[in-house]
Amino acid sequence: MPASAESAARTREKIHAAAVRLFTRQGYHGTGMREIAREAGVSLGNAYNHHRTKLELFEAILADYEARYTAPDTPLARALNTFEGLEDLERLGEAARQTVRRFEDYIRLIYVDVVELEGEHIRRLFGGMRRRYEEALGPRLRALQAAGELAPDVDPIAGLMTATISYFYLFNIERIFGVRRLYGCSDKQAIADIAALLRRGLEPR
């Protein structure tokens, strides 16, 4: 990469990092481009050279995070891509915990988007969740179901989505909202409790 391109890339990264700090701390509408430029240590004109508007900057940050969040090397992606049955639910829970920690700023930006911009830019991520699970896991989960490893009367894609969402909900509350030990126990025990509930439900056996 030429020196000028490297310099531009570093400046863009500084602007994005500054914007994330400010957006997650004081919201989208409470943050201006001048403030972002000052936080990044660049001129206002330089900031506008990279993004013509604050909305364009916000969208670019979300797009960058989404690309990293859906990449195949994230803890969650690895856990899903190697999922072989109900014995892997705890591993899925731990992957969700690691993913929430790694993408804490992204999750905070999602809340900013939902509260201030009516979720306009985040719908595609969750709107495509079923499709992504179907493409990555559909044949494998249906094979497990046919082999009697999964309940025959439950949609296995919906089941695994429910497991993922349950774990993410737990760790979002603990990490983003600051509610420690939501279930009154360690993270490891909470993961095990959710896994047991997903395996057996609440009906007595």
Side-chain angles (χ1 to χ4, degrees), residues 169-180:
Y169 188 71
L170 165 64
F171 294 117
N172 276 345
I173 290 175
E174 291 197 345
R175 188 74 179 179
I176 307 301
F177 298 164
V179 180
R180 303 306 178 203

Side-chain angles (χ1 to χ4, degrees), residues 5-186:
E6 289 182 2
S7 177
R10 285 196 300 270
T11 299
R12 184 179 186 274
E13 289 175 3
K14 288 168 60 177
I15 293 168
H16 281 210
V20 168
R21 288 193 297 273
L22 293 171
F23 285 145
T24 56
R25 193 163 64 230
Q26 56 197 42
Y28 176 82
H29 294 306
T31 301
M33 285 294 285
R34 188 178 301 277
E35 191 175 8
I36 291 169
R38 184 167 57 248
E39 177 79 8
V42 303
S43 69
L44 181 60
N46 202 342
Y48 276 118
N49 282 338
H50 287 270
H51 298 288
R52 292 169 296 178
T53 66
K54 182 174 69 170
L55 182 59
E56 182 182 284
L57 168 59
F58 188 74
E59 290 173 336
I61 291 169
L62 287 179
D64 285 350
Y65 268 122
E66 183 178 339
R68 281 182 274 161
Y69 181 80
T70 57
D73 62 342
T74 64
L76 181 62
R78 289 196 299 269
L80 289 171
N81 289 335
T82 57
F83 186 84
E84 294 295 341
L86 296 178
E87 68 276 5
D88 288 333
L89 285 173
E90 285 86 353
R91 190 162 55 84
L92 181 63
E94 174 58 24
R97 187 186 71 83
Q98 293 175 17
T99 301
V100 169
R101 286 178 176 270
R102 179 182 295 188
F103 291 97
E104 182 175 339
D105 283 338
Y106 181 36
I107 295 167
R108 292 182 188 277
L109 288 173
I110 288 173
Y111 283 113
V112 170
D113 182 55
V114 169
V115 171
E116 299 193 53
L117 300 170
E118 299 182 351
E120 179 180 349
H121 307 99
I122 214 64
R123 288 192 192 97
R124 67 176 178 271
L125 177 66
F126 292 100
M129 186 176 180
R130 170 77 195 205
R131 174 185 52 77
R132 290 194 300 273
Y133 273 59
E134 182 68 48
E135 291 173 354
L137 298 159
R140 194 184 330 152
L141 292 180
R142 279 186 278 277
L144 289 169
Q145 194 173 45
E149 298 293 325
L150 299 175
D153 56 344
V154 175
D155 176 356
I157 299 292
L160 199 55
M161 287 175 65
T162 298
T164 306
I165 291 168
S166 297
Y167 285 127
F168 263 87
Y169 188 71
L170 165 64
F171 294 117
N172 276 345
I173 290 175
E174 291 197 345
R175 188 74 179 179
I176 307 301
F177 298 164
V179 180
R180 303 306 178 203
R181 299 172 71 89
L182 178 66
Y183 282 16
C185 57
S186 67

